[in-house]
Amino acid sequence: MSTPNVEKHEFQAEIKQLLDIVIHSLYTEKEIFVRELISNASDASEKLRHLKITEKEIFDKDLELEIKISTDDTANTITIQDFGIGMTKDELVKSLGTIAHSGSKQFLEALKEGGSKNDNLIGQFGVGFYSAFMVANEVKVYSRSWKEGESGHVWTSTGAGSYEVEEVEGQRRGTKIVLSLKDDDKSFAKDETIKEIIKRYSSFVQFPIKLNDEKVNTIDALWLRGKSGIKDEEYTEFYKFQANAWDEPRYRLHFSADAPLAIKALLFVPKENPERAGFGRIDPAVALYCRKVLIDSKPTELLPEWMRFTKGVVDSEDLPLNISRETMQDRSLIQKLGRVITKRFLKFLSEEAKKRPDEYQEFFDKFGFFLKEGVAIDMTYKDELAKLLYFESSAQEKGKKTSLADYISRMKEEQKEIYYITGQNRESIESGPYLEGFKARGIEVLFLYEPVDEYVMNNLREYEEKTLVSADQGDLKLDDVPQSSEESLSEDEGNALCSWLKETIGERVKEVKISERLVDSPAMALTPDAMSSQMRRMMQQMGQPGMPTEVLFEINPRHALMKNLNRQRETNSDLAKLIALQAFDNSMVAAGLLEDPKDMVSRMYDILSQASETK
Ligand code: ADP
Ligand code: MG
């Protein structure tokens, strides 16, 4: 029976799907719901602690911030109460009825990816508040916002499709969640069980946790303690608690500084990169504290955007507690703080790269993209970041990467530039025409496979005073022409062939000339601008033409095809023309420059039929 002031709501479709999985999952570590609900209680309390600094009017202002948990093994319930910011009616509906938070969003996205092992996914992402339904057949959420003039409400659901919201009297500020446990999960109504779980998962909560009126945690700001007294497991537990993470950290950096600002920081790099797994952009997650008081759990202006993969805590005594993003002075203070931390983090990474190169390579494979993004768009750190970049190269076996510094250390004395080629993969670069001139001269070339690499090189421009040069650039001059033992067209013959080719190909080519670079291939197409084939392909995919109007065609005077062509243009000029055009189109394909292959295909058939006629 519904009473008039009870409102019934349907869950959003995604939440229904999520609840269905949560309720029917066989996930064994159901106890994580304790951690999730305490973490929400702690978040709400942290927010209130901060509001107290910035707001005058707060309902129930003097209520102490603590987390109260009570168990009742006769009624089979567990109750978790906080005195944090609470929720208004609208907030209850929005926060608990729609997919508002990142954890469940990631969970659902992973599910769409085709994860049939749903139980496992719960463990990987956590399902936040909804984990309560793993153990409860009914959940009641009583809540009263910190805002004056709002009334209290209770939200009730069995997790099956809908929930109800009703106004309640006499509610204190904050949230009280009552779980009626399923028969199989009655053990969670036992004091000892819960005490043990709290000890395991929630040792870093910054508020007293009272279980049946007994305080069960010691409040400890790990980041303020000395490094030497902290065990690895404590760091890991803290990371999991603070970042709401399920993996182990890959790196951690715990440091303090006194100048130019008093800082204590504890940063982590996770094991996995969720952006790479396709879970969308990560929010910044290095929380900003001032003397243990949380100021902002996701400060966007503290660290540069490319550092968004890091987790942890930064605490500075020099920040005013009522810091405001609106005032210039405070903003610049936060940015100054961020610069100190970023520099220290970069130094840490470069030390790691030297000390433990294998681990660093693993890190770079997973997180290198962020460093590259930094070089490509952040002028402030690009030089330091460039030192941390690694690429495959012609001098290294497949899979092995080199830094720019190591590349330079292998350079010959007379080499002034750092060369690179972009391509889909190693095979396509090695089989293309651009590498051979460098190979013949024993010059190392970096292999770049990712679209972002192009931006990296264009923004970096040079490294240790060596210009970075794309190897498929038209105006490239390589000294020390390799002497081929094979017979070459004479200079006159070569020049004559070039002008005939120019005439035959026509408008599509700006200039035809004898190549100084080619060794094995008959010809190659080049563009005078620095934009490489990969970049052009990308622009094409984005629907921008991006095609250069000027193409250079270089021919190899030692190659049999060119020598034959030079003869045939006199003896069989029709076939010679077809071959010339085809050779040009082939080189355009290799350069990623051919827009429309229609003509090329029909011409190819022409050539094939002529070839099949000769006996
Ligand atoms: P998350 O904590 O990752 O945001 P949850 O599923 O755990 O996701 O919670 C969803 C939302 O419900 C929270 O973002 C918050 O807005 C609200 N919420 C949950 N528990 C509480 C609480 N104890 N006090 C106030 N708001 C809460
Ligand atoms: Mg949560």
Side-chain angles (χ1 to χ4, degrees):
M1 278 292 290
S2 64
T3 36
N5 61 344
V6 179
E7 265 184 33
K8 192 169 167 175
H9 296 255
E10 288 284 307
F11 282 112
Q12 203 185 22
E14 284 94 335
I15 299 291
K16 281 189 193 166
Q17 188 191 359
L18 186 134
L19 277 167
D20 195 49
I21 291 158
V22 168
I23 290 168
H24 297 109
S25 87
L26 299 171
Y27 186 59
T28 46
E29 289 160 64
K30 290 182 173 182
E31 62 188 41
I32 59 151
F33 83 90
V34 180
R35 167 186 148 172
E36 291 293 341
L37 298 184
I38 291 180
S39 133
N40 286 350
S42 161
D43 288 350
S45 308
E46 296 254 31
K47 283 178 190 151
L48 193 96
R49 181 149 72 179
H50 194 237
L51 279 178
K52 273 191 166 169
I53 299 159
T54 57
E55 300 284 330
K56 274 192 209 77
E57 306 250 300
I58 291 179
F59 173 69
D60 250 352
K61 189 153 189 177
D62 300 322
L63 203 50
E64 192 129 351
L65 290 176
E66 58 180 18
I67 298 168
K68 281 175 83 165
I69 302 177
S70 53
T71 53
D72 182 339
D73 58 3
T74 343
N76 285 324
T77 58
I78 170 168
T79 303
I80 295 165
Q81 180 167 23
D82 66 68
F83 304 102
I85 54 169
M87 286 174 271
T88 62
K89 182 178 150 194
D90 287 349
E91 285 165 350
L92 273 170
V93 169
K94 188 167 170 287
S95 303
L96 308 183
T98 63
I99 180 143
H101 83 298
S102 53
S104 11
K105 222 179 247 166
Q106 286 192 357
F107 177 84
L108 283 173
E109 271 162 28
L111 209 64
K112 273 194 220 122
E113 295 275 298
S116 54
K117 300 186 199 93
N118 298 337
D119 294 349
N120 200 13
L121 287 177
I122 293 179
Q124 245 173 304
F125 298 103
V127 285
F129 167 77
Y130 305 103
S131 60
F133 289 97
M134 290 199 290
V135 296
N137 46 35
E138 188 193 69
V139 177
K140 278 186 176 294
V141 181
Y142 297 86
S143 203
R144 170 79 166 81
S145 167
W146 64 277
K147 291 173 190 148
E148 291 281 8
E150 292 284 342
S151 48
H153 288 87
V154 56
W155 178 103
T156 311
S157 180
T158 60
S162 66
Y163 58 90
E164 289 177 347
V165 184
E166 187 184 0
E167 193 169 321
V168 286
E169 296 289 322
Q171 189 63 30
R172 305 221 65 175
R173 187 194 65 222
T175 303
K176 182 172 84 177
I177 303 183
V178 184
L179 278 63
S180 302
L181 296 163
K182 296 181 189 171
D183 284 346
D184 287 349
D185 299 302
K186 282 179 184 166
S187 62
F188 295 115
K190 291 209 182 329
D191 182 283
E192 318 83 75
T193 318
I194 297 299
K195 188 188 276 177
E196 204 245 326
I197 298 171
I198 295 174
K199 287 241 145 83
R200 197 138 23 100
Y201 288 124
S202 306
S203 34
F204 297 104
V205 175
Q206 295 298 302
F207 303 92
I209 302 178
K210 289 187 183 153
L211 174 63
N212 298 321
D213 291 325
E214 184 201 341
K215 187 162 170 243
V216 285
N217 65 331
T218 47
I219 295 162
D220 178 16
L222 189 76
W223 62 93
L224 298 183
R225 276 166 51 189
K227 272 202 277 199
S228 54
I230 305 176
K231 294 196 206 84
D232 283 351
E233 301 86 78
E234 282 183 278
Y235 277 123
T236 303
E237 281 306 316
F238 177 74
Y239 161 75
K240 288 187 178 175
F241 167 75
Q242 203 272 333
N244 202 19
W246 302 81
D247 56 352
E248 311 250 309
R250 175 184 293 278
Y251 283 139
R252 75 161 184 258
L253 168 63
H254 188 183
F255 72 95
S256 57
D258 297 319
L261 290 163
I263 298 172
K264 300 245 190 307
L266 176 51
L267 300 189
F268 296 96
V269 175
K271 187 127 283 164
E272 299 300 331
N273 170 4
E275 272 189 29
R276 214 171 81 135
F279 292 132
R281 204 178 167 82
I282 338 173
D283 286 333
V286 174
L288 185 60
Y289 281 78
C290 172
R291 289 180 220 114
K292 291 193 349 189
V293 177
L294 180 70
I295 289 174
D296 191 345
S297 62
K298 295 175 176 173
T300 46
E301 279 170 31
L302 178 65
L303 298 173
E305 272 194 51
W306 55 263
M307 263 186 79
R308 65 187 178 277
F309 64 100
T310 54
K311 314 279 176 197
V313 170
V314 171
D315 196 321
S316 174
E317 292 178 11
D318 294 331
L319 292 178
L321 273 174
N322 59 349
I323 192 151
S324 149
R325 246 177 261 164
E326 275 73 60
T327 76
M328 273 304 286
Q329 206 183 350
D330 288 356
R331 265 175 74 168
S332 76
L333 194 57
I334 292 184
Q335 282 160 3
K336 190 165 160 195
L337 187 63
R339 277 197 295 276
V340 178
I341 294 154
T342 308
K343 292 233 169 201
R344 186 66 188 75
F345 180 67
L346 288 170
K347 185 167 155 244
F348 165 81
L349 284 183
S350 72
E351 285 164 2
E352 283 297 321
K354 277 190 208 87
K355 276 193 272 183
R356 282 172 282 272
D358 291 349
E359 278 89 343
Y360 181 82
Q361 281 313 319
E362 232 187 276
F363 157 78
F364 189 77
D365 285 344
K366 296 242 153 97
F367 294 91
F369 175 81
F370 295 100
L371 307 183
K372 289 176 177 180
E373 185 188 302
V375 182
I377 62 179
D378 189 345
M379 295 306 278
T380 325
Y381 304 103
K382 94 178 171 184
D383 293 330
E384 278 119 315
L385 280 166
K387 296 189 181 122
L388 297 167
L389 300 182
Y390 283 74
F391 300 100
E392 282 201 23
S393 97
S394 58
Q396 309 266 315
E397 64 199 75
K398 187 180 163 108
K400 241 187 125 202
K401 294 193 177 125
T402 179
S403 66
L404 294 171
D406 286 344
Y407 176 103
I408 291 176
S409 74
R410 284 187 295 265
M411 268 167 52
K412 293 189 190 141
E413 225 175 283
E414 60 285 2
Q415 189 181 336
K416 305 254 163 350
E417 296 168 324
I418 298 175
Y419 298 104
Y420 63 88
I421 300 186
T422 52
Q424 306 278 23
N425 51 42
R426 190 172 184 110
E427 289 68 29
S428 78
I429 292 175
E430 283 181 331
S431 65
Y434 302 103
L435 187 61
E436 49 196 51
F438 294 89
K439 246 178 161 170
R441 292 168 176 83
I443 299 174
E444 182 172 357
V445 179
L446 298 172
F447 294 168
L448 277 44
Y449 311 131
E450 290 183 85
V452 66
D453 292 335
E454 196 95 30
Y455 296 101
V456 167
M457 294 299 169
N458 286 344
N459 198 38
L460 194 58
R461 291 242 154 84
E462 56 173 46
Y463 183 85
E464 303 283 325
E465 288 163 25
K466 307 272 187 294
T467 317
L468 295 155
V469 176
S470 171
D472 57 7
Q473 215 167 298
D475 52 7
L476 202 65
K477 283 273 166 292
L478 297 176
D479 347 299
D480 170 39
V481 182
Q483 290 305 311
S484 171
S485 54
E486 269 175 75
E487 220 176 290
S488 168
L489 290 174
S490 72
E491 205 180 319
D492 285 350
E493 286 170 325
N495 288 339
L497 179 61
C498 285
S499 18
W500 177 80
L501 281 166
K502 167 75 188 103
E503 209 172 293
T504 308
I505 301 165
E507 293 275 271
R508 295 172 65 206
V509 72
K510 167 133 190 290
E511 192 188 342
V512 183
K513 58 180 212 177
I514 300 293
S515 178
E516 295 178 358
R517 305 194 221 173
L518 289 169
V519 180
D520 299 320
S521 301
M524 68 180 168
L526 297 158
T527 51
D529 51 69
M531 194 199 280
S532 79
S533 51
Q534 180 129 335
M535 177 90 91
R536 224 169 275 119
R537 258 196 305 274
M538 252 169 52
M539 294 185 62
Q540 235 178 331
Q541 277 161 10
M542 294 188 299
Q544 296 187 7
M547 286 294 161
T549 43
E550 300 186 348
V551 176
L552 256 57
F553 188 47
E554 285 195 6
I555 60 164
N556 181 353
R558 289 166 295 276
H559 198 282
L561 178 65
M562 289 303 152
K563 288 190 281 189
N564 292 340
L565 193 59
N566 193 43
R567 239 181 309 109
Q568 268 172 333
R569 70 187 170 94
E570 318 240 297
T571 57
N572 188 353
S573 75
D574 286 347
L575 181 62
K577 274 182 189 156
L578 286 181
I579 291 174
L581 290 170
Q582 191 61 34
F584 178 67
D585 273 357
N586 280 6
S587 72
M588 291 288 278
V589 171
L593 289 170
L594 194 75
E595 269 178 292
D596 184 1
K598 202 167 75 259
D599 290 348
M600 163 167 163
V601 172
S602 61
R603 185 189 320 111
M604 194 68 216
Y605 280 130
D606 254 3
I607 297 173
L608 288 175
S609 19
Q610 294 200 30
S612 62
E613 276 164 22
T614 52
K615 292 172 197 82

Short mmCIF file of all heavy atoms in Angstrom, two decimals, residues 297-322:
data_model
loop_
_atom_site.label_atom_id
_atom_site.label_comp_id
_atom_site.label_asym_id
_atom_site.label_seq_id
_atom_site.Cartn_x
_atom_site.Cartn_y
_atom_site.Cartn_z
N SER A 297 39.23 17.07 -3.50
CA SER A 297 39.67 15.71 -3.80
C SER A 297 40.04 15.54 -5.27
O SER A 297 40.72 14.60 -5.64
CB SER A 297 38.60 14.69 -3.40
OG SER A 297 37.44 14.94 -4.16
N LYS A 298 39.56 16.46 -6.12
CA LYS A 298 39.91 16.37 -7.54
C LYS A 298 40.33 17.73 -8.06
O LYS A 298 39.67 18.30 -8.93
CB LYS A 298 38.71 15.88 -8.35
CG LYS A 298 38.29 14.48 -8.02
CD LYS A 298 37.02 14.12 -8.77
CE LYS A 298 36.66 12.67 -8.48
NZ LYS A 298 35.37 12.30 -9.03
N PRO A 299 41.41 18.29 -7.53
CA PRO A 299 41.76 19.64 -7.96
C PRO A 299 42.23 19.64 -9.42
O PRO A 299 43.13 18.89 -9.78
CB PRO A 299 42.91 20.04 -7.04
CG PRO A 299 43.47 18.76 -6.54
CD PRO A 299 42.38 17.73 -6.60
N THR A 300 41.59 20.45 -10.24
CA THR A 300 41.95 20.43 -11.66
C THR A 300 43.13 21.33 -11.96
O THR A 300 43.76 21.19 -12.99
CB THR A 300 40.76 20.89 -12.53
OG1 THR A 300 40.22 22.06 -11.92
CG2 THR A 300 39.69 19.83 -12.63
N GLU A 301 43.42 22.26 -11.06
CA GLU A 301 44.48 23.20 -11.40
C GLU A 301 45.80 22.92 -10.69
O GLU A 301 46.77 23.65 -10.86
CB GLU A 301 44.01 24.63 -11.10
CG GLU A 301 43.15 25.13 -12.23
CD GLU A 301 42.47 26.43 -11.92
OE1 GLU A 301 43.03 27.22 -11.17
OE2 GLU A 301 41.37 26.63 -12.45
N LEU A 302 45.82 21.87 -9.89
CA LEU A 302 47.05 21.58 -9.16
C LEU A 302 48.13 21.02 -10.08
O LEU A 302 49.22 21.59 -10.18
CB LEU A 302 46.74 20.57 -8.04
CG LEU A 302 47.92 20.10 -7.20
CD1 LEU A 302 48.51 21.25 -6.40
CD2 LEU A 302 47.50 18.97 -6.26
N LEU A 303 47.83 19.94 -10.76
CA LEU A 303 48.84 19.29 -11.60
C LEU A 303 48.47 19.45 -13.06
O LEU A 303 47.30 19.60 -13.40
CB LEU A 303 48.91 17.80 -11.23
CG LEU A 303 49.35 17.52 -9.79
CD1 LEU A 303 49.23 16.04 -9.48
CD2 LEU A 303 50.77 18.00 -9.55
N PRO A 304 49.48 19.39 -13.94
CA PRO A 304 49.15 19.47 -15.36
C PRO A 304 48.27 18.30 -15.79
O PRO A 304 48.31 17.23 -15.18
CB PRO A 304 50.53 19.39 -16.05
CG PRO A 304 51.48 18.92 -15.03
CD PRO A 304 50.92 19.28 -13.70
N GLU A 305 47.51 18.52 -16.85
CA GLU A 305 46.53 17.50 -17.27
C GLU A 305 47.14 16.15 -17.57
O GLU A 305 46.56 15.11 -17.29
CB GLU A 305 45.80 17.99 -18.52
CG GLU A 305 44.60 18.81 -18.19
CD GLU A 305 43.73 18.99 -19.41
OE1 GLU A 305 43.39 17.99 -20.06
OE2 GLU A 305 43.40 20.15 -19.72
N TRP A 306 48.35 16.16 -18.14
CA TRP A 306 48.94 14.87 -18.50
C TRP A 306 49.32 14.06 -17.26
O TRP A 306 49.63 12.89 -17.37
CB TRP A 306 50.14 15.07 -19.43
CG TRP A 306 51.18 16.00 -18.90
CD1 TRP A 306 51.31 17.33 -19.19
CD2 TRP A 306 52.25 15.69 -17.99
NE1 TRP A 306 52.38 17.86 -18.51
CE2 TRP A 306 52.98 16.87 -17.78
CE3 TRP A 306 52.66 14.51 -17.35
CZ2 TRP A 306 54.09 16.93 -16.93
CZ3 TRP A 306 53.76 14.56 -16.51
CH2 TRP A 306 54.46 15.76 -16.31
N MET A 307 49.27 14.67 -16.08
CA MET A 307 49.57 13.91 -14.86
C MET A 307 48.32 13.26 -14.26
O MET A 307 48.34 12.75 -13.15
CB MET A 307 50.25 14.79 -13.82
CG MET A 307 51.77 14.62 -13.87
SD MET A 307 52.61 15.50 -12.57
CE MET A 307 52.38 14.42 -11.18
N ARG A 308 47.22 13.28 -15.02
CA ARG A 308 45.96 12.77 -14.47
C ARG A 308 45.99 11.28 -14.15
O ARG A 308 45.08 10.76 -13.53
CB ARG A 308 44.80 13.09 -15.42
CG ARG A 308 44.86 12.40 -16.77
CD ARG A 308 43.76 12.91 -17.68
NE ARG A 308 43.81 12.31 -19.00
CZ ARG A 308 44.60 12.73 -19.98
NH1 ARG A 308 45.39 13.79 -19.79
NH2 ARG A 308 44.61 12.13 -21.15
N PHE A 309 47.02 10.58 -14.58
CA PHE A 309 47.10 9.15 -14.25
C PHE A 309 47.63 8.89 -12.84
O PHE A 309 47.59 7.78 -12.36
CB PHE A 309 47.97 8.41 -15.27
CG PHE A 309 49.42 8.85 -15.29
CD1 PHE A 309 50.39 8.09 -14.63
CD2 PHE A 309 49.81 10.00 -15.95
CE1 PHE A 309 51.73 8.48 -14.64
CE2 PHE A 309 51.14 10.40 -15.96
CZ PHE A 309 52.10 9.64 -15.30
N THR A 310 48.13 9.93 -12.17
CA THR A 310 48.67 9.74 -10.83
C THR A 310 47.56 9.86 -9.78
O THR A 310 46.55 10.51 -9.99
CB THR A 310 49.75 10.79 -10.52
OG1 THR A 310 49.23 12.10 -10.74
CG2 THR A 310 50.96 10.61 -11.41
N LYS A 311 47.79 9.18 -8.65
CA LYS A 311 46.85 9.23 -7.54
C LYS A 311 47.61 9.71 -6.31
O LYS A 311 48.84 9.72 -6.31
CB LYS A 311 46.30 7.83 -7.23
CG LYS A 311 45.87 7.04 -8.44
CD LYS A 311 44.51 7.44 -8.89
CE LYS A 311 44.13 6.70 -10.17
NZ LYS A 311 43.02 7.30 -10.86
N GLY A 312 46.91 10.02 -5.25
CA GLY A 312 47.60 10.34 -4.01
C GLY A 312 47.12 11.60 -3.33
O GLY A 312 46.00 12.06 -3.54
N VAL A 313 48.03 12.14 -2.50
CA VAL A 313 47.69 13.24 -1.61
C VAL A 313 48.81 14.27 -1.61
O VAL A 313 49.98 13.91 -1.59
CB VAL A 313 47.53 12.71 -0.17
CG1 VAL A 313 47.43 13.84 0.83
CG2 VAL A 313 46.33 11.80 -0.06
N VAL A 314 48.43 15.53 -1.63
CA VAL A 314 49.39 16.61 -1.44
C VAL A 314 48.90 17.46 -0.28
O VAL A 314 47.73 17.87 -0.28
CB VAL A 314 49.51 17.47 -2.71
CG1 VAL A 314 50.33 18.71 -2.44
CG2 VAL A 314 50.11 16.67 -3.84
N ASP A 315 49.76 17.69 0.69
CA ASP A 315 49.37 18.47 1.86
C ASP A 315 50.34 19.63 1.99
O ASP A 315 51.55 19.43 1.99
CB ASP A 315 49.43 17.56 3.11
CG ASP A 315 48.68 18.16 4.29
OD1 ASP A 315 48.75 19.39 4.48
OD2 ASP A 315 48.03 17.38 5.02
N SER A 316 49.81 20.84 2.08
CA SER A 316 50.72 21.97 2.26
C SER A 316 50.21 22.89 3.36
O SER A 316 49.05 23.32 3.34
CB SER A 316 50.87 22.76 0.96
OG SER A 316 51.64 23.91 1.22
N GLU A 317 51.09 23.18 4.29
CA GLU A 317 50.74 24.09 5.38
C GLU A 317 50.59 25.52 4.89
O GLU A 317 50.00 26.35 5.57
CB GLU A 317 51.85 24.09 6.44
CG GLU A 317 51.99 22.80 7.18
CD GLU A 317 53.14 22.86 8.17
OE1 GLU A 317 53.68 23.97 8.39
OE2 GLU A 317 53.50 21.80 8.69
N ASP A 318 51.18 25.80 3.74
CA ASP A 318 51.18 27.18 3.26
C ASP A 318 49.90 27.59 2.57
O ASP A 318 49.78 28.72 2.11
CB ASP A 318 52.36 27.41 2.31
CG ASP A 318 53.67 27.29 3.07
OD1 ASP A 318 53.66 27.59 4.28
OD2 ASP A 318 54.68 26.90 2.46
N LEU A 319 48.95 26.67 2.44
CA LEU A 319 47.69 27.03 1.79
C LEU A 319 46.73 27.58 2.83
O LEU A 319 46.64 27.06 3.93
CB LEU A 319 47.06 25.80 1.14
CG LEU A 319 47.76 25.19 -0.05
CD1 LEU A 319 46.99 23.96 -0.50
CD2 LEU A 319 47.85 26.18 -1.20
N PRO A 320 45.98 28.61 2.48
CA PRO A 320 44.93 29.05 3.39
C PRO A 320 43.79 28.02 3.35
O PRO A 320 43.48 27.49 2.29
CB PRO A 320 44.47 30.38 2.80
CG PRO A 320 44.90 30.36 1.39
CD PRO A 320 46.06 29.42 1.27
N LEU A 321 43.19 27.71 4.49
CA LEU A 321 42.14 26.70 4.53
C LEU A 321 40.95 27.06 3.66
O LEU A 321 40.32 26.21 3.06
CB LEU A 321 41.66 26.51 5.97
CG LEU A 321 42.45 25.50 6.79
CD1 LEU A 321 41.97 25.52 8.23
CD2 LEU A 321 42.34 24.09 6.21
N ASN A 322 40.65 28.33 3.62
CA ASN A 322 39.49 28.73 2.81
C ASN A 322 39.93 29.13 1.41
O ASN A 322 39.44 30.09 0.83
CB ASN A 322 38.74 29.88 3.48
CG ASN A 322 39.64 31.08 3.67
OD1 ASN A 322 40.85 30.97 3.49
ND2 ASN A 322 39.07 32.21 4.02
#
